[in-house]
């Protein structure tokens, strides 16, 4: 779990062999039970995103335990504009990406697209799922203090 407190963005990700690398992004695209449950139990909209830098990006939104929207963009279907001066530079490409699913989600959160793509590199906290973790580990409530308010 990673938290970007300034904009109240929380990233939850499972850590296992099935979630690593490109295969992992595809796994997340098909497994949304956690996002559905969180949206239902917490009574808020949960956004889930998948980023495969070689193939696609996808954003899904869940509210009340149901899928309430989303979009997938396949990179090989993107049409690059023809520029009058013949140049399509990095800045123009970045502006184009702002209209893609992750760019729109970044706008919703009030952050830059690059921040969403780097959340996995932020210092995170591992939360056990077995219930057998020592009492000394910080509980989830402590980590999320001030986020949901």
């Amino acid at each position: 779990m990673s938290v970007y407190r300034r904009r109240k963005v929380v990233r939850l990700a499972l850590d296992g062999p099935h979630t690593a690398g490109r295969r992992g992004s595809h796994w997340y695209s098909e497994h949304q039970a956690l996002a559905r449950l969180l949206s239902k139990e917490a009574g808020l909209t949960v956004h889930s995103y998948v980023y495969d830098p070689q193939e696609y990006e996808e954003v899904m939104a869940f509210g009340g335990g149901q899928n309430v929207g989303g979009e997938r963009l396949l990179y090989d279907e993107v049409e690059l504009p023809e520029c009058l001066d013949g140049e399509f530079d990095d800045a123009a490409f970045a502006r184009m990406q702002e209209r893609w699913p992750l760019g729109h989600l970044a706008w919703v959160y009030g952050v830059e697209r690059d921040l969403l793509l780097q959340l996995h590199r932020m210092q995170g906290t591992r939360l056990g799922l077995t219930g057998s973790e020592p009492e000394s580990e910080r509980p989830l409530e402590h980590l999320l203090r001030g986020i949901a308010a």
Side-chain angles (χ1 to χ4, degrees):
M1 180 175 114
S2 304
V3 178
Y4 182 69
R5 291 190 181 281
R6 185 177 303 156
R7 299 303 301 169
K8 297 183 178 185
V9 175
V10 177
R11 177 186 176 269
L12 294 174
L14 296 175
D15 187 17
H18 59 286
T19 61
R22 290 191 67 211
R23 282 187 54 201
S25 64
H26 293 262
W27 184 90
Y28 277 112
S29 186
E30 298 168 8
H31 295 83
Q32 299 297 322
L34 180 60
R36 288 180 195 281
L37 181 63
L38 282 174
S39 73
K40 184 175 182 179
E41 296 300 317
L44 47 85
T45 302
V46 173
H47 293 92
S48 173
Y49 67 89
V50 175
Y51 175 67
D52 178 338
Q54 296 174 12
E55 191 174 342
Y56 72 101
E57 61 187 63
E58 178 177 29
V59 173
M60 295 150 281
F62 298 90
Q66 302 295 317
N67 185 321
V68 295
E71 181 181 11
R72 176 185 275 202
L73 176 85
L74 300 172
Y75 296 138
D76 63 354
E77 294 179 2
V78 171
E79 293 184 31
L80 297 176
E82 292 186 32
C83 298
L84 295 176
D85 60 6
E87 290 192 30
F88 188 69
D89 61 9
D90 289 343
F93 187 64
R95 286 190 301 275
M96 185 177 180
Q97 287 178 311
E98 289 173 9
R99 296 187 306 269
W100 293 359
L102 285 174
H104 179 74
L105 181 60
W107 176 81
V108 168
Y109 288 154
V111 299
E112 299 293 321
R113 183 177 194 275
D114 285 342
L115 181 102
L116 288 181
L117 297 176
Q118 296 304 315
L119 280 175
H120 71 282
R121 294 181 186 209
M122 293 177 74
Q123 180 177 353
T125 300
R126 295 189 120 183
L127 303 173
L129 298 177
T130 63
S132 62
E133 289 70 34
E135 288 289 325
S136 62
E137 290 188 11
R138 300 186 320 179
L140 181 60
E141 292 81 15
H142 175 74
L143 293 169
L144 296 177
R145 187 177 303 136
I147 295 296

